[in-house]
Amino acid sequence: MRRLKILVASHVFVAKLEIERAPKTCAAFTSLLPFRNQTIHSRWSGEAVWVPLGDYQFGVDFENHTRHPSRGDILLYPGGHSETELLFAYGSSSFASKMGALAGNHFLTIVEGREQLADMGNLVLWKGAQPILFEALD
């Protein structure tokens, strides 16, 4: 498997797994597919939505981690200073929590549907929590 389909409300994205750069994170996440949850707008990270995962442990450490995701990057924060979470950047973002700056494992990159990123982010910002689904594509 190299790509995932991501649905946020009516928005459809295709993302490339960053297997070479974050192999353990990719393996841990794909073992949970299909993955369903809710996404909400970030509070401290700028133009991003996030999926809070509480105390869930993926069993991975930091790999290919960044605190400045690019538009269309999806990060997994494996927990530690803040709760475990996914961060999905749709614009300018600097990953943070109420505890301060964070770095997350960049393990997915949007390769199709980038033109929908701003609409998706604004939907979550103005309409509230939205369903998110990650599923295998190929």
Side-chain angles (χ1 to χ4, degrees):
M1 169 183 356
R2 292 256 179 226
R3 300 182 315 153
L4 301 182
K5 181 165 84 171
I6 303 167
L7 298 150
V8 179
S10 62
H11 300 290
V12 180
F13 303 96
V14 174
K16 174 184 85 162
L17 285 158
E18 299 292 344
I19 295 170
E20 295 77 23
R21 295 180 178 153
K24 293 176 184 174
T25 304
C26 290
F29 188 78
T30 57
S31 73
L32 301 174
L33 296 177
F35 182 84
R36 298 175 195 278
N37 211 304
Q38 293 284 316
T39 189
I40 58 178
H41 202 273
S42 70
R43 294 179 234 174
W44 300 280
S45 299
E47 295 177 324
V49 300
W50 67 299
V51 178
L53 299 171
D55 293 330
Y56 187 82
Q57 297 296 312
F58 279 86
V60 298
D61 289 320
F62 290 105
E63 60 179 1
N64 196 37
H65 52 288
T66 183
R67 100 166 270 271
H68 299 285
S70 296
R71 183 176 172 268
D73 290 354
I74 299 175
L75 311 181
L76 168 73
Y77 178 70
H81 296 293
S82 187
E83 69 181 287
T84 303
E85 66 182 89
L86 298 174
L87 184 82
F88 186 164
Y90 68 86
S92 297
S93 182
S94 182
F95 192 19
S97 76
K98 63 184 175 183
M99 301 303 292
L102 298 175
N105 298 349
H106 173 203
F107 77 104
L108 283 170
T109 304
I110 299 298
V111 294
E112 293 178 27
R114 292 177 65 82
E115 69 282 354
Q116 300 177 70
L117 286 168
D119 288 342
M120 180 272 299
N122 284 320
L123 172 70
V124 177
L125 176 63
W126 294 106
K127 299 294 182 183
Q130 298 295 317
I132 189 167
L133 167 66
F134 295 80
E135 57 188 7
L137 189 59
D138 56 17

